[in-house]
Amino acid sequence: MSRNRAPRLSLSKKNGSDLAKNSIGSSQKFGAGESLAAVFANANAQDIKRRTQLTYHNRKNSERLRQSTRLWSDSDPIDNDFQNNPSSVGKRKREKTEEDSPKEVPKLLIGKGISIDSLVDPAKLKNTPADKDRIKEKDLLINSLSRSRQKLEAKYKEKADALECPYCHTEFPKQAMTDRLRRALKVVKRKDREYRKQAIEEHMKNVTSETHKKILLKELRPRRPVDSLEQHFFCCLHRAELVYKKLGKRKNYPLEINFEGIPARLNRQRGELEKIINNETKSEFRNIALDAYKDMGKNKARSAMGVFSRVDRIMTGYYGSRGNAVIADALNHMFLNSGYLTQAMTAPQYPVEYIQQVLVPEAALLLIRQDLYNKKAGKTAKKRYPTSEELADLYDEAMVILRESEEYGRAVHMAPNEIIADFSDSRLEDISLDDSSSGDEDISADS
């Protein structure tokens, strides 16, 4: 059964009470014991509650407004006078600062309620056990503060002497900096400086005030937009110079490699490579390719995803990507362009695939075995190329070096097409290390 609702009436308090008294007998119309008087009494109570809440919020808002007005009025005269007489305003601000400064410096409590004044002035202390403890605590405190200060000074001095990568913010200790990294960092700073100068000159076209220009020269710091390729290469460069070269020196990896002499070295060992092509010598890299064709099928194994799944097992060791390019070019000239390598010899791989995925890592392994032989033979040994038996004895050791030095080779010996033109060896050699300018000069000196 639906419940009858009381009509919305706009009545005063007095009229509402009279009407409620005259309608007590009609409570059956509202059901469940609800009378018209109760309805109006409830409405009256809610109205009083709303009025009380509104009064409270109005009072709070008025207090906040008075506070903000008082704060604004304290600082407003100086701000308004600034347009008329800036020098007098500066003087008034200094006077106000001196007046507002505290007359006494509050005591700093240390340890067990001991003030700094008592610790600094032992003459005020009496010769009591408690005072002796205070003097001892003072000495300990001074020693502790002195040590902390020395540590902070050393830390800040070290940080001030260190340079950092402008992209990944890796710190470069000055004693560990190499000439190549110094030159590359100068290139970055010079490009930033030139961009900042151009950006400020462009911004100055719309500025007429000399004071405003001076402020802009000091404060404006436009940031040069840098593409991700430059950031990636510079970070790879400083990791190679500061991390991987140290690793290579510790593990006796060659830092300088005669890449121009690689084709001649491979020609001298052509017989060893032909044994691999004719399956007279087993090749681990050939087995990797055959397993991939067997498991994935011909089409998937030749696809980009198929090659990518096993690319980390096709290595050239510390010869890096530059060595990879030189070796592949020499092998193409030796076996592919000459017509020696055929599809029947390399099936199911194409001859080009076979050279890149099998012969290139095998040739790199052969070169590493030659390097190992020369190191073990020493300077007194007769200069010659190792025999097949001598190369076979060094196979396991060379394979370990090939795998462990792969990351070093990719970082240190990069292919020419992986190097950005601004950071190429020919460009960096033109950068003078004797130049005293660090790249952080004030732009105002140039303009």
Side-chain angles (χ1 to χ4, degrees):
M1 182 176 180
S2 61
R3 191 172 174 183
N4 294 328
R5 296 188 177 181
R8 294 184 179 180
L9 301 176
S10 178
L11 299 174
S12 63
K13 183 177 180 182
K14 182 178 179 181
N15 294 337
S17 302
D18 295 340
L19 181 59
K21 292 178 181 179
N22 296 330
S23 304
I24 294 175
S26 59
S27 60
Q28 294 82 0
K29 295 182 180 180
F30 298 95
E34 183 181 4
S35 62
L36 185 60
V39 172
F40 283 106
N42 187 21
N44 190 24
Q46 293 180 359
D47 184 62
I48 293 173
K49 184 177 180 181
R50 283 194 297 270
R51 289 176 182 275
T52 303
Q53 292 176 351
L54 184 61
T55 303
Y56 172 78
H57 289 298
N58 287 338
R59 186 171 65 253
K60 286 292 184 182
N61 291 334
S62 299
E63 292 177 358
R64 294 191 187 98
L65 182 61
R66 283 196 298 272
Q67 292 177 1
S68 61
T69 304
R70 184 169 60 255
L71 293 174
W72 177 259
S73 62
D74 291 342
S75 59
D76 191 40
I78 293 179
D79 295 334
N80 291 335
D81 294 343
F82 181 78
Q83 304 293 337
N84 302 324
N85 195 352
S87 59
S88 63
V89 172
K91 184 177 179 181
R92 287 171 59 188
K93 282 188 176 181
R94 290 193 297 271
E95 293 175 353
K96 185 176 180 181
T97 305
E98 294 175 357
E99 293 175 358
D100 294 343
S101 60
K103 304 299 181 183
E104 296 180 358
V105 178
K107 292 183 178 181
L108 176 64
L109 297 181
I110 302 172
K112 302 176 181 178
I114 302 174
S115 67
I116 192 67
D117 298 333
S118 301
L119 292 176
V120 173
D121 190 7
K124 296 181 180 180
L125 302 176
K126 298 180 180 180
N127 192 13
T128 61
D131 292 342
K132 291 180 179 179
D133 292 340
R134 291 186 177 186
I135 295 175
K136 186 182 293 186
E137 187 171 351
K138 180 203 72 171
D139 296 336
L140 292 175
L141 174 65
I142 292 175
N143 293 334
S144 177
L145 291 176
S146 178
R147 287 193 299 269
S148 300
R149 180 179 179 181
Q150 291 175 359
K151 290 180 180 178
L152 287 175
E153 288 178 351
K155 181 179 179 181
Y156 287 131
K157 184 179 179 181
E158 183 181 356
K159 189 172 183 180
D161 293 341
L163 302 172
E164 69 172 13
C165 174
Y167 308 122
C168 67
H169 303 290
T170 300
E171 290 189 0
F172 304 151
K174 282 192 174 181
Q175 62 274 13
M177 292 284 287
T178 61
D179 292 345
R180 188 185 183 198
L181 185 56
R182 289 180 187 275
R183 291 188 174 99
L185 191 60
K186 277 197 170 187
V187 170
V188 174
K189 289 187 176 182
R190 183 178 63 186
K191 293 169 72 174
D192 292 340
R193 187 170 67 253
E194 292 175 354
Y195 176 83
R196 178 170 175 257
K197 182 178 179 180
Q198 293 177 0
I200 291 178
E201 289 177 353
E202 185 69 23
H203 193 80
M204 288 297 182
K205 293 180 180 179
N206 302 324
V207 179
T208 57
S209 172
E210 293 297 329
T211 304
H212 191 187
K213 287 183 178 181
K214 292 180 180 179
I215 294 174
L216 286 177
L217 289 174
K218 293 182 179 180
E219 302 298 332
L220 195 60
R221 292 289 186 271
R223 188 177 181 87
R224 178 174 64 94
V226 183
D227 57 15
S228 58
L229 185 62
E230 179 180 336
Q231 296 182 24
H232 174 73
F233 179 80
F234 187 84
C235 292
C236 289
L237 188 147
H238 73 69
R239 281 196 294 269
E241 295 294 318
L242 301 179
V243 178
Y244 288 108
K245 284 189 176 181
K246 290 183 179 180
L247 174 66
K249 186 176 181 181
R250 188 166 64 249
K251 294 193 173 184
N252 294 322
Y253 298 152
L255 183 60
E256 301 292 337
I257 297 177
N258 182 17
F259 290 99
E260 289 74 14
I262 288 179
R265 293 174 62 186
L266 293 178
N267 271 321
R268 296 236 180 160
Q269 297 293 334
R270 181 185 178 110
E272 297 295 329
L273 296 173
E274 289 180 354
K275 289 180 182 180
I276 296 173
I277 296 173
N278 297 323
N279 294 325
E280 297 176 12
T281 302
K282 291 184 179 180
S283 171
E284 180 177 338
F285 302 100
R286 173 66 167 174
N287 293 335
I288 292 173
L290 293 178
D291 292 341
Y293 272 80
K294 182 178 179 180
D295 297 339
M296 304 172 65
K298 184 184 297 185
N299 294 332
K300 281 189 176 182
R302 288 176 179 172
S303 65
M305 292 301 297
V307 175
F308 185 77
S309 64
R310 60 184 187 275
V311 69
D312 57 334
R313 302 164 74 179
I314 304 171
M315 302 167 287
T316 53
Y318 53 68
Y319 282 88
S321 54
R322 182 178 179 183
N324 190 316
V326 174
I327 293 171
D329 186 63
L331 294 176
N332 286 332
H333 182 74
M334 290 169 59
F335 298 112
L336 196 61
N337 297 342
S338 63
Y340 179 85
L341 201 62
T342 62
Q343 175 68 37
M345 294 180 178
T346 63
Q349 292 177 290
Y350 291 132
V352 176
E353 291 180 71
Y354 183 84
I355 287 179
Q356 188 62 48
Q357 299 175 18
V358 178
L359 285 187
V360 167
E362 287 290 352
L365 186 62
L366 184 63
L367 295 175
I368 292 175
R369 283 185 281 177
Q370 290 179 5
D371 297 336
L372 285 175
Y373 174 81
N374 294 332
K375 287 180 182 178
K376 293 184 178 181
K379 296 182 180 179
T380 59
K382 185 178 180 181
K383 188 175 181 180
R384 63 178 179 82
Y385 281 87
T387 62
S388 300
E389 292 76 11
E390 291 171 335
L391 290 174
D393 295 337
L394 297 172
Y395 180 86
D396 295 335
E397 185 178 356
M399 181 61 75
V400 173
I401 294 176
L402 180 75
R403 291 169 178 167
E404 292 182 351
S405 64
E406 177 68 15
E407 193 172 358
Y408 165 85
R410 290 179 181 176
V412 176
H413 301 299
M414 302 177 68
N417 59 352
E418 297 177 345
I419 301 175
I420 298 178
D422 292 336
F423 301 102
S424 62
D425 293 339
S426 58
R427 293 281 185 92
L428 293 180
E429 287 174 359
D430 297 336
I431 305 297
S432 175
L433 291 175
D434 299 332
D435 187 7
S436 59
S437 62
S438 61
D440 296 329
E441 308 94 308
D442 189 356
I443 205 71
S444 60
D446 299 328
S447 45

